[in-house]
Coordinates of all heavy atoms in Angstrom, one line a residue:
M1 N 45.6 38.1 -7.6 CA 44.6 38.9 -8.2 C 45.0 40.4 -8.3 O 45.0 41.0 -9.3 CB 43.2 38.8 -7.5 CG 42.2 39.7 -8.0 SD 41.4 39.0 -9.4 CE 39.9 40.0 -9.5
L2 N 45.4 40.9 -7.2 CA 45.9 42.3 -7.1 C 47.1 42.6 -8.1 O 47.1 43.6 -8.8 CB 46.3 42.7 -5.7 CG 46.8 44.1 -5.5 CD1 45.7 45.1 -5.8 CD2 47.3 44.3 -4.0
T3 N 48.0 41.7 -8.1 CA 49.2 41.8 -9.0 C 48.7 41.8 -10.4 O 49.2 42.6 -11.2 CB 50.2 40.6 -8.7 OG1 50.5 40.7 -7.3 CG2 51.4 40.8 -9.6
K4 N 47.8 41.0 -10.8 CA 47.3 40.9 -12.2 C 46.6 42.2 -12.6 O 46.8 42.7 -13.7 CB 46.4 39.7 -12.4 CG 47.1 38.4 -12.4 CD 46.1 37.3 -12.6 CE 46.8 35.9 -12.5 NZ 45.9 34.8 -12.8
I5 N 45.8 42.8 -11.7 CA 45.1 44.1 -12.0 C 46.2 45.2 -12.2 O 46.1 45.9 -13.2 CB 44.2 44.4 -10.8 CG1 43.0 43.4 -10.7 CG2 43.6 45.8 -11.1 CD1 42.2 43.6 -9.5
A6 N 47.1 45.3 -11.3 CA 48.2 46.3 -11.4 C 49.0 46.1 -12.7 O 49.3 47.1 -13.4 CB 49.1 46.2 -10.2
L7 N 49.4 44.9 -13.0 CA 50.1 44.6 -14.2 C 49.3 45.0 -15.4 O 49.9 45.6 -16.4 CB 50.5 43.1 -14.3 CG 51.3 42.7 -15.5 CD1 52.6 43.5 -15.6 CD2 51.6 41.2 -15.4
A8 N 48.1 44.7 -15.5 CA 47.2 45.1 -16.6 C 47.2 46.6 -16.8 O 47.2 47.1 -17.9 CB 45.8 44.5 -16.4
R9 N 47.1 47.3 -15.7 CA 47.1 48.8 -15.8 C 48.4 49.3 -16.4 O 48.4 50.2 -17.2 CB 46.8 49.4 -14.5 CG 45.4 49.3 -14.0 CD 45.0 50.5 -13.2 NE 43.7 50.3 -12.6 CZ 43.2 51.0 -11.6 NH1 43.9 52.0 -11.1 NH2 42.0 50.7 -11.1
A10 N 49.5 48.8 -15.9 CA 50.8 49.2 -16.5 C 50.9 48.8 -18.0 O 51.4 49.6 -18.8 CB 52.0 48.5 -15.7
Q11 N 50.4 47.6 -18.4 CA 50.5 47.2 -19.8 C 49.6 48.1 -20.7 O 49.9 48.2 -21.8 CB 50.1 45.7 -19.9 CG 51.1 44.8 -19.3 CD 50.5 43.4 -19.2 OE1 49.3 43.2 -18.9 NE2 51.4 42.4 -19.3
A12 N 48.5 48.6 -20.1 CA 47.6 49.4 -20.9 C 48.0 50.9 -20.9 O 47.3 51.7 -21.6 CB 46.2 49.3 -20.3
N13 N 48.9 51.3 -20.1 CA 49.3 52.8 -20.0 C 50.2 53.2 -21.1 O 51.3 52.7 -21.2 CB 49.9 53.1 -18.7 CG 50.0 54.5 -18.5 OD1 50.9 55.1 -19.0 ND2 49.0 55.1 -17.7
P14 N 49.8 54.1 -22.0 CA 50.7 54.5 -23.1 C 52.1 55.1 -22.7 O 53.1 54.8 -23.4 CB 49.9 55.6 -23.8 CG 48.5 55.5 -23.3 CD 48.6 54.8 -22.0
A15 N 52.2 55.8 -21.6 CA 53.5 56.3 -21.2 C 54.4 55.2 -20.7 O 55.6 55.2 -21.0 CB 53.3 57.3 -20.0
V16 N 53.9 54.2 -20.1 CA 54.7 53.1 -19.7 C 55.2 52.3 -20.9 O 56.3 51.9 -21.0 CB 54.0 52.2 -18.7 CG1 54.8 50.9 -18.3 CG2 53.6 53.0 -17.4
V17 N 54.2 52.0 -21.8 CA 54.6 51.3 -23.1 C 55.6 52.0 -23.8 O 56.6 51.4 -24.3 CB 53.3 51.1 -23.9 CG1 53.6 50.5 -25.3 CG2 52.3 50.1 -23.2
E18 N 55.5 53.4 -23.9 CA 56.5 54.2 -24.6 C 57.9 54.0 -24.0 O 58.9 54.0 -24.7 CB 56.1 55.6 -24.7 CG 57.1 56.6 -25.3 CD 57.3 56.3 -26.8 OE1 56.4 55.8 -27.5 OE2 58.4 56.7 -27.3
A19 N 57.9 54.0 -22.7 CA 59.2 54.0 -21.9 C 59.9 52.6 -22.0 O 61.1 52.6 -22.2 CB 58.9 54.4 -20.5
I20 N 59.2 51.5 -21.8 CA 59.8 50.2 -21.7 C 59.4 49.3 -22.8 O 59.9 48.2 -22.9 CB 59.7 49.6 -20.3 CG1 58.3 49.2 -20.0 CG2 60.3 50.4 -19.2 CD1 58.2 48.3 -18.7
G21 N 58.5 49.7 -23.7 CA 58.1 48.9 -24.8 C 57.0 48.0 -24.5 O 56.5 47.9 -23.4
S22 N 56.5 47.3 -25.6 CA 55.4 46.3 -25.5 C 56.0 45.0 -26.0 O 56.7 45.0 -27.0 CB 54.3 46.8 -26.3 OG 53.2 46.0 -26.2
A23 N 55.8 44.0 -25.5 CA 54.9 43.5 -24.4 C 55.6 43.6 -23.1 O 56.7 43.2 -22.9 CB 54.5 42.1 -24.6
I24 N 54.9 44.2 -22.1 CA 55.4 44.4 -20.7 C 55.0 43.1 -20.0 O 53.9 42.7 -20.0 CB 54.8 45.6 -20.1 CG1 55.2 46.8 -20.8 CG2 55.2 45.7 -18.6 CD1 54.5 48.1 -20.4
S25 N 56.0 42.6 -19.2 CA 55.7 41.4 -18.4 C 56.3 41.5 -17.0 O 57.2 42.3 -16.8 CB 56.3 40.1 -19.1 OG 57.6 40.2 -19.2
Q26 N 55.8 40.8 -16.1 CA 56.3 40.7 -14.8 C 57.5 39.8 -14.8 O 57.5 38.8 -15.4 CB 55.3 40.2 -13.8 CG 55.9 40.0 -12.4 CD 55.0 39.1 -11.5 OE1 53.7 39.2 -11.7 NE2 55.5 38.4 -10.6
T27 N 58.6 40.3 -14.2 CA 59.8 39.5 -14.2 C 60.3 39.4 -12.7 O 60.1 40.3 -12.0 CB 61.0 40.1 -15.0 OG1 61.2 41.4 -14.6 CG2 60.6 40.1 -16.5
G28 N 60.8 38.3 -12.3 CA 61.3 38.2 -11.0 C 60.2 37.9 -10.0 O 59.0 37.6 -10.4
I29 N 60.5 38.2 -8.7 CA 59.5 37.9 -7.6 C 58.9 39.2 -7.1 O 59.6 40.2 -6.9 CB 60.3 37.2 -6.5 CG1 60.8 35.8 -7.0 CG2 59.4 36.9 -5.3 CD1 61.7 35.1 -6.1
V30 N 57.6 39.1 -6.9 CA 56.9 40.3 -6.3 C 57.3 40.3 -4.8 O 57.3 39.3 -4.2 CB 55.4 40.1 -6.4 CG1 54.7 41.2 -5.7 CG2 55.0 40.1 -7.9
S31 N 57.7 41.5 -4.4 CA 58.0 41.6 -2.9 C 57.1 42.6 -2.2 O 56.4 43.3 -2.9 CB 59.5 42.1 -2.8 OG 59.6 43.4 -3.4
G32 N 57.1 42.6 -0.9 CA 56.2 43.4 -0.2 C 55.4 42.6 0.8 O 55.8 41.5 1.2
N33 N 54.3 43.2 1.2 CA 53.4 42.5 2.2 C 52.0 42.8 1.9 O 51.6 43.8 1.3 CB 53.8 42.9 3.6 CG 53.6 44.4 3.9 OD1 52.5 44.9 3.8 ND2 54.7 45.1 4.2
S34 N 51.2 41.8 2.4 CA 49.7 42.0 2.3 C 49.1 41.3 3.5 O 49.6 40.4 4.0 CB 49.2 41.4 1.0 OG 49.4 40.0 0.9
N35 N 48.0 41.9 3.9 CA 47.2 41.4 5.0 C 45.7 41.4 4.6 O 45.1 42.5 4.5 CB 47.4 42.2 6.2 CG 46.7 41.7 7.4 OD1 46.2 40.6 7.4 ND2 46.6 42.5 8.5
V36 N 45.2 40.2 4.2 CA 43.8 40.1 3.7 C 43.1 39.2 4.6 O 43.5 38.1 5.0 CB 43.8 39.6 2.3 CG1 42.4 39.5 1.8 CG2 44.6 40.5 1.4
S37 N 41.9 39.7 5.0 CA 41.0 38.8 5.8 C 39.6 38.9 5.2 O 38.9 39.9 5.4 CB 41.0 39.3 7.2 OG 40.1 38.5 8.0
G38 N 39.3 38.0 4.4 CA 38.0 38.0 3.7 C 37.8 39.1 2.7 O 38.6 39.3 1.8
A39 N 36.8 40.0 3.0 CA 36.5 41.1 2.0 C 37.3 42.3 2.3 O 37.1 43.3 1.6 CB 35.0 41.4 2.1
V40 N 38.2 42.3 3.3 CA 39.0 43.5 3.6 C 40.5 43.2 3.6 O 40.8 42.0 3.8 CB 38.6 44.2 5.0 CG1 37.1 44.6 4.9 CG2 38.8 43.2 6.1
G41 N 41.3 44.2 3.5 CA 42.7 44.0 3.5 C 43.5 45.2 3.0 O 43.0 46.2 2.7
E42 N 44.8 45.0 3.0 CA 45.7 46.0 2.5 C 47.0 45.4 2.0 O 47.3 44.2 2.4 CB 46.1 47.0 3.6 CG 46.8 46.4 4.8 CD 47.0 47.4 5.9 OE1 46.3 48.5 6.0 OE2 47.8 47.2 6.8
A43 N 47.7 46.1 1.0 CA 48.8 45.5 0.4 C 49.8 46.6 0.0 O 49.4 47.7 -0.3 CB 48.5 44.7 -0.8
N44 N 51.1 46.3 0.2 CA 52.2 47.2 -0.3 C 53.1 46.3 -1.1 O 53.8 45.4 -0.5 CB 52.9 47.8 0.8 CG 52.0 48.7 1.6 OD1 51.6 49.8 1.1 ND2 51.7 48.4 2.9
L45 N 53.2 46.5 -2.4 CA 53.9 45.5 -3.3 C 54.9 46.3 -4.2 O 54.6 47.4 -4.6 CB 52.9 44.7 -4.2 CG 51.8 43.9 -3.5 CD1 50.9 43.3 -4.5 CD2 52.4 42.9 -2.6
S46 N 56.0 45.6 -4.5 CA 56.9 46.0 -5.6 C 56.9 44.9 -6.6 O 57.2 43.8 -6.3 CB 58.3 46.2 -5.0 OG 58.3 47.2 -4.0
I47 N 56.6 45.3 -7.9 CA 56.4 44.3 -8.9 C 57.4 44.6 -10.0 O 57.3 45.7 -10.7 CB 55.0 44.3 -9.5 CG1 53.9 44.1 -8.4 CG2 54.8 43.3 -10.6 CD1 52.5 44.5 -8.8
P48 N 58.4 43.8 -10.2 CA 59.4 44.0 -11.3 C 58.8 43.8 -12.7 O 58.1 42.8 -12.9 CB 60.5 43.0 -11.0 CG 59.9 41.9 -10.2 CD 58.7 42.5 -9.5
L49 N 59.1 44.8 -13.6 CA 58.6 44.7 -14.9 C 59.7 44.8 -15.9 O 60.8 45.3 -15.7 CB 57.7 46.0 -15.2 CG 56.5 46.2 -14.3 CD1 55.8 47.5 -14.7 CD2 55.5 45.0 -14.3
S50 N 59.4 44.2 -17.1 CA 60.4 44.2 -18.2 C 59.7 44.4 -19.5 O 58.6 43.8 -19.7 CB 61.2 42.9 -18.1 OG 62.2 43.0 -19.2
G51 N 60.3 45.1 -20.4 CA 59.8 45.3 -21.8 C 61.0 45.3 -22.7 O 62.2 45.3 -22.2
P52 N 60.8 45.3 -24.0 CA 61.9 45.3 -24.9 C 62.9 46.5 -24.8 O 64.0 46.4 -25.2 CB 61.3 45.2 -26.3 CG 59.8 45.3 -26.1 CD 59.5 45.3 -24.6
K53 N 62.4 47.6 -24.3 CA 63.2 48.8 -24.2 C 63.9 49.0 -22.8 O 64.7 49.9 -22.6 CB 62.4 50.0 -24.5 CG 61.9 50.2 -25.9 CD 61.1 51.5 -26.0 CE 60.5 51.7 -27.4 NZ 59.8 53.0 -27.4
G54 N 63.5 48.2 -21.8 CA 64.1 48.4 -20.5 C 63.3 47.7 -19.4 O 62.3 47.0 -19.6
K55 N 63.7 48.1 -18.2 CA 63.1 47.5 -17.0 C 62.5 48.6 -16.1 O 63.0 49.8 -16.2 CB 64.2 46.7 -16.2 CG 64.7 45.5 -16.9 CD 65.7 44.8 -16.1 CE 66.2 43.5 -16.8 NZ 67.2 42.8 -16.1
A56 N 61.6 48.2 -15.2 CA 61.0 49.2 -14.3 C 60.5 48.4 -13.1 O 60.4 47.2 -13.1 CB 59.9 49.9 -15.0
T57 N 60.0 49.1 -12.1 CA 59.3 48.5 -11.0 C 58.0 49.2 -10.8 O 57.9 50.5 -10.8 CB 60.2 48.7 -9.7 OG1 61.5 48.1 -9.9 CG2 59.5 48.0 -8.5
L58 N 57.0 48.4 -10.6 CA 55.6 49.0 -10.3 C 55.4 48.9 -8.8 O 55.5 47.8 -8.2 CB 54.6 48.1 -11.0 CG 53.1 48.4 -10.7 CD1 52.7 49.8 -11.0 CD2 52.3 47.4 -11.6
Y59 N 55.2 50.0 -8.2 CA 55.0 50.1 -6.7 C 53.5 50.3 -6.5 O 52.9 51.2 -7.1 CB 55.7 51.3 -6.1 CG 57.2 51.1 -6.2 CD1 57.9 51.7 -7.2 CD2 57.9 50.3 -5.3 CE1 59.3 51.5 -7.3 CE2 59.3 50.1 -5.4 CZ 60.0 50.7 -6.4 OH 61.3 50.5 -6.5
V60 N 52.9 49.5 -5.7 CA 51.4 49.5 -5.4 C 51.1 49.5 -3.9 O 51.7 48.7 -3.2 CB 50.8 48.2 -6.0 CG1 49.3 48.1 -5.7 CG2 51.0 48.1 -7.5
E61 N 50.3 50.4 -3.5 CA 49.7 50.5 -2.2 C 48.2 50.4 -2.4 O 47.7 51.3 -3.2 CB 50.1 51.7 -1.4 CG 51.5 51.8 -1.1 CD 51.9 53.1 -0.4 OE1 51.0 53.8 0.1 OE2 53.1 53.4 -0.3
A62 N 47.5 49.4 -1.8 CA 46.1 49.3 -2.1 C 45.4 48.8 -0.8 O 46.0 48.2 0.1 CB 45.9 48.3 -3.2
K63 N 44.1 49.2 -0.7 CA 43.3 48.7 0.4 C 42.1 48.0 -0.2 O 41.6 48.4 -1.3 CB 42.8 49.9 1.2 CG 43.9 50.5 2.0 CD 43.4 51.4 3.1 CE 44.5 52.1 3.8 NZ 45.1 51.4 4.8
K64 N 41.6 46.9 0.4 CA 40.5 46.1 0.0 C 39.3 46.4 0.9 O 39.5 46.3 2.1 CB 40.8 44.7 0.0 CG 39.8 43.8 -0.6 CD 40.3 42.3 -0.6 CE 39.3 41.4 -1.2 NZ 39.7 40.0 -1.1
S65 N 38.2 46.8 0.4 CA 37.0 47.0 1.2 C 35.8 46.5 0.4 O 35.7 46.7 -0.8 CB 36.8 48.5 1.4 OG 35.7 48.8 2.1
A66 N 34.9 45.8 1.1 CA 33.8 45.2 0.4 C 34.2 44.3 -0.8 O 33.6 44.4 -1.8 CB 32.7 46.2 0.0
D67 N 35.3 43.6 -0.6 CA 35.8 42.7 -1.6 C 36.3 43.4 -2.9 O 36.4 42.8 -4.0 CB 34.8 41.6 -1.9 CG 35.5 40.3 -2.3 OD1 36.6 40.1 -1.8 OD2 34.9 39.5 -3.0
T68 N 36.6 44.7 -2.9 CA 37.1 45.5 -4.0 C 38.4 46.2 -3.6 O 38.5 46.8 -2.6 CB 36.0 46.5 -4.5 OG1 34.8 45.9 -4.8 CG2 36.5 47.3 -5.7
W69 N 39.4 46.1 -4.5 CA 40.7 46.7 -4.3 C 40.6 48.2 -4.8 O 40.1 48.4 -5.9 CB 41.8 46.0 -5.0 CG 42.2 44.7 -4.3 CD1 41.9 43.4 -4.7 CD2 43.0 44.6 -3.2 NE1 42.5 42.6 -3.8 CE2 43.2 43.2 -2.9 CE3 43.7 45.5 -2.3 CZ2 43.9 42.8 -1.8 CZ3 44.4 45.0 -1.2 CH2 44.5 43.7 -1.0
F70 N 41.1 49.1 -3.9 CA 41.2 50.5 -4.3 C 42.7 50.9 -4.1 O 43.3 50.6 -3.1 CB 40.4 51.3 -3.3 CG 38.9 51.1 -3.4 CD1 38.4 50.1 -2.5 CD2 38.1 51.7 -4.3 CE1 37.0 49.8 -2.6 CE2 36.8 51.5 -4.4 CZ 36.2 50.5 -3.5
F71 N 43.3 51.4 -5.2 CA 44.7 51.7 -5.3 C 44.9 53.2 -4.7 O 44.5 54.1 -5.3 CB 45.2 51.6 -6.7 CG 45.1 50.2 -7.2 CD1 44.0 49.8 -7.9 CD2 46.2 49.3 -7.0 CE1 43.9 48.5 -8.4 CE2 46.1 48.0 -7.5 CZ 45.0 47.6 -8.2
Q72 N 45.7 53.2 -3.6 CA 46.1 54.6 -3.1 C 47.4 55.0 -3.9 O 47.5 56.2 -4.3 CB 46.5 54.5 -1.7 CG 45.3 54.5 -0.7 CD 44.6 53.2 -0.7 OE1 45.1 52.2 -0.6 NE2 43.2 53.3 -0.7
T73 N 48.3 54.1 -4.2 CA 49.5 54.5 -5.0 C 49.7 53.4 -6.0 O 49.6 52.2 -5.7 CB 50.7 54.5 -4.0 OG1 50.5 55.4 -3.0 CG2 52.0 54.8 -4.8
M74 N 50.0 53.8 -7.2 CA 50.4 52.9 -8.3 C 51.3 53.7 -9.2 O 50.9 54.5 -10.0 CB 49.2 52.5 -9.1 CG 49.5 51.4 -10.1 SD 48.1 50.8 -11.1 CE 47.2 49.9 -9.8
V75 N 52.6 53.5 -9.0 CA 53.7 54.2 -9.6 C 54.7 53.3 -10.3 O 55.1 52.3 -9.7 CB 54.5 55.1 -8.6 CG1 55.6 55.8 -9.3 CG2 53.5 56.1 -8.0
V76 N 55.0 53.6 -11.6 CA 56.0 52.8 -12.3 C 57.3 53.7 -12.3 O 57.3 54.8 -12.8 CB 55.6 52.5 -13.7 CG1 56.8 51.8 -14.5 CG2 54.4 51.5 -13.7
K77 N 58.4 53.1 -11.7 CA 59.7 53.8 -11.8 C 60.6 53.0 -12.7 O 60.8 51.8 -12.6 CB 60.3 53.9 -10.4 CG 59.5 54.8 -9.5 CD 60.3 55.5 -8.5 CE 59.4 56.5 -7.7 NZ 60.2 57.2 -6.7
L78 N 61.2 53.8 -13.6 CA 62.1 53.2 -14.6 C 63.4 52.9 -14.0 O 63.9 53.7 -13.1 CB 62.3 54.1 -15.8 CG 61.0 54.5 -16.5 CD1 61.3 55.5 -17.6 CD2 60.3 53.3 -17.1
E79 N 64.1 51.9 -14.4 CA 65.4 51.6 -14.0 C 66.4 52.7 -14.4 O 66.3 53.2 -15.5 CB 65.9 50.3 -14.6 CG 67.2 49.7 -14.1 CD 67.5 48.4 -14.7 OE1 67.8 48.3 -16.0 OE2 67.5 47.4 -14.0
R80 N 67.2 53.1 -13.5 CA 68.2 54.2 -13.7 C 67.6 55.6 -13.9 O 68.2 56.5 -14.4 CB 69.1 53.9 -14.9 CG 69.9 52.6 -14.7 CD 70.9 52.5 -15.8 NE 71.4 51.1 -15.8 CZ 71.2 50.2 -16.7 NH1 70.4 50.5 -17.8 NH2 71.7 49.0 -16.6
Q81 N 66.3 55.8 -13.4 CA 65.7 57.1 -13.5 C 65.0 57.4 -12.2 O 64.5 56.5 -11.5 CB 64.7 57.2 -14.7 CG 65.4 57.2 -16.0 CD 64.4 57.6 -17.1 OE1 63.3 58.0 -16.9 NE2 64.9 57.4 -18.3
V82 N 65.0 58.7 -11.8 CA 64.4 59.1 -10.6 C 62.9 59.2 -10.7 O 62.2 58.8 -9.8 CB 65.0 60.5 -10.1 CG1 64.4 61.0 -8.9 CG2 66.5 60.4 -9.9
N83 N 62.4 59.9 -11.8 CA 61.0 60.1 -11.9 C 60.3 58.8 -12.4 O 60.9 58.0 -13.1 CB 60.8 61.2 -12.9 CG 61.3 62.5 -12.4 OD1 61.3 62.8 -11.2 ND2 61.7 63.4 -13.3
G84 N 59.0 58.8 -12.1 CA 58.2 57.6 -12.5 C 56.9 58.1 -13.1 O 56.7 59.3 -13.3
F85 N 56.0 57.1 -13.4 CA 54.7 57.4 -13.9 C 53.7 57.1 -12.9 O 53.6 55.9 -12.4 CB 54.5 56.6 -15.2 CG 55.5 56.8 -16.3 CD1 56.4 55.9 -16.5 CD2 55.5 58.0 -17.0 CE1 57.4 56.1 -17.5 CE2 56.4 58.2 -18.0 CZ 57.4 57.3 -18.2
D86 N 52.8 58.0 -12.5 CA 51.7 57.8 -11.5 C 50.5 57.2 -12.3 O 49.9 58.0 -13.0 CB 51.4 59.0 -10.8 CG 50.4 58.8 -9.7 OD1 49.7 57.8 -9.7 OD2 50.2 59.7 -8.8
L87 N 50.3 56.0 -12.2 CA 49.2 55.3 -13.0 C 47.8 55.7 -12.5 O 46.8 55.5 -13.1 CB 49.3 53.8 -13.0 CG 50.6 53.3 -13.6 CD1 50.6 51.8 -13.8 CD2 51.0 54.0 -15.0
N88 N 47.7 56.3 -11.3 CA 46.5 56.8 -10.8 C 46.1 58.2 -11.4 O 44.9 58.5 -11.3 CB 46.5 56.9 -9.2 CG 46.3 55.6 -8.6 OD1 45.8 54.7 -9.1 ND2 46.7 55.5 -7.3
T89 N 47.0 58.9 -12.0 CA 46.7 60.2 -12.6 C 46.8 60.2 -14.1 O 46.2 61.0 -14.8 CB 47.6 61.3 -12.0 OG1 49.0 61.0 -12.3 CG2 47.4 61.4 -10.5
L90 N 47.7 59.3 -14.7 CA 47.8 59.3 -16.2 C 46.6 58.7 -16.8 O 46.0 57.8 -16.2 CB 49.1 58.5 -16.6 CG 50.4 59.2 -16.3 CD1 51.6 58.2 -16.6 CD2 50.6 60.5 -17.0
P91 N 46.3 59.2 -18.0 CA 45.1 58.6 -18.7 C 45.3 57.1 -19.0 O 46.4 56.7 -19.3 CB 45.0 59.4 -20.0 CG 46.2 60.2 -20.1 CD 46.9 60.2 -18.8
V92 N 44.2 56.4 -18.9 CA 44.2 55.0 -19.2 C 43.2 54.8 -20.3 O 42.1 55.4 -20.3 CB 43.9 54.1 -18.0 CG1 43.8 52.7 -18.3 CG2 44.9 54.3 -16.9
P93 N 43.5 54.0 -21.3 CA 42.5 53.7 -22.4 C 41.2 53.2 -21.8 O 41.2 52.5 -20.8 CB 43.2 52.6 -23.3 CG 44.6 52.7 -23.0 CD 44.7 53.2 -21.6
A94 N 40.1 53.6 -22.5 CA 38.8 53.3 -22.0 C 38.6 51.8 -21.7 O 37.9 51.4 -20.7 CB 37.7 53.8 -22.9
R95 N 39.1 50.9 -22.6 CA 38.9 49.5 -22.4 C 39.6 49.0 -21.1 O 39.2 47.9 -20.6 CB 39.4 48.7 -23.6 CG 40.9 48.8 -23.9 CD 41.2 47.9 -25.0 NE 42.5 48.0 -25.6 CZ 43.7 48.2 -25.0 NH1 43.8 48.5 -23.8 NH2 44.8 48.2 -25.7
A96 N 40.5 49.7 -20.6 CA 41.3 49.2 -19.4 C 40.8 50.0 -18.1 O 41.3 49.7 -17.0 CB 42.8 49.3 -19.6
A97 N 40.0 51.0 -18.3 CA 39.5 51.8 -17.2 C 38.6 51.0 -16.2 O 37.9 50.1 -16.7 CB 38.8 53.0 -17.7
S98 N 38.7 51.3 -15.0 CA 37.9 50.6 -14.0 C 36.5 51.3 -14.0 O 36.4 52.5 -14.2 CB 38.4 50.8 -12.6 OG 39.7 50.1 -12.5
P99 N 35.4 50.5 -13.8 CA 34.1 51.1 -13.7 C 34.0 51.9 -12.5 O 34.7 51.7 -11.5 CB 33.2 49.9 -13.7 CG 34.0 48.7 -13.2 CD 35.4 49.0 -13.6
P100 N 33.2 53.0 -12.5 CA 33.0 53.8 -11.3 C 32.4 53.0 -10.2 O 31.6 52.1 -10.4 CB 32.1 55.0 -11.8 CG 31.4 54.4 -13.0 CD 32.3 53.4 -13.6
H101 N 32.8 53.4 -9.0 CA 32.2 52.7 -7.8 C 31.2 53.6 -7.2 O 31.4 54.8 -7.0 CB 33.3 52.5 -6.8 CG 34.3 51.5 -7.2 ND1 34.1 50.2 -7.3 CD2 35.6 51.7 -7.7 CE1 35.2 49.6 -7.7 NE2 36.1 50.5 -8.0
L102 N 30.0 53.1 -7.0 CA 28.9 53.9 -6.4 C 28.8 53.8 -5.0 O 29.2 52.8 -4.4 CB 27.6 53.5 -7.1 CG 27.5 53.6 -8.6 CD1 26.2 53.1 -9.1 CD2 27.7 55.1 -9.0

């Protein structure tokens, strides 16, 4: 579930689409660790991505509380480049935005 949410955010982000093209897909094996116990947990993942223009890795650090995932870090780093895109700060189209948590 967490991987699908993170992938959807990368696919909906205009800067990521511009950098590696559309359609962006997960390629290879997700690595990292997660510890989930019912409605709480935490995860640190590296998700390999590929698009028609190149490859990247999506790095995710998240915590689960009250059965909802909250992303502390969500960064896409392009292959062969130092800088990446912070998906927690770049604008996301309204249709892909998360609803506010009260």
Side-chain angles (χ1 to χ4, degrees):
M1 173 83 165
L2 178 64
T3 302
K4 289 181 182 182
I5 295 167
L7 179 59
R9 286 212 190 166
Q11 291 169 326
N13 190 282
V16 177
V17 171
E18 177 65 27
I20 66 173
S22 181
I24 297 170
S25 61
Q26 175 191 330
T27 56
I29 298 171
V30 175
S31 62
N33 59 63
S34 65
N35 182 13
V36 179
S37 179
V40 298
E42 59 186 22
N44 296 294
L45 305 174
S46 297
I47 305 167
L49 303 177
S50 181
K53 294 182 182 179
K55 294 181 180 182
T57 302
L58 172 56
Y59 297 97
V60 175
E61 293 179 15
K63 292 196 183 276
K64 186 178 183 186
S65 177
D67 213 27
T68 301
W69 283 103
F70 297 91
F71 295 93
Q72 279 74 45
T73 302
M74 187 179 293
V75 175
V76 173
K77 292 210 175 180
L78 304 175
E79 188 175 67
R80 299 186 193 112
Q81 290 192 8
V82 175
N83 296 328
F85 303 106
D86 185 343
L87 301 188
N88 280 341
T89 60
L90 288 176
V92 176
R95 65 176 170 33
S98 298
H101 296 284
L102 301 175

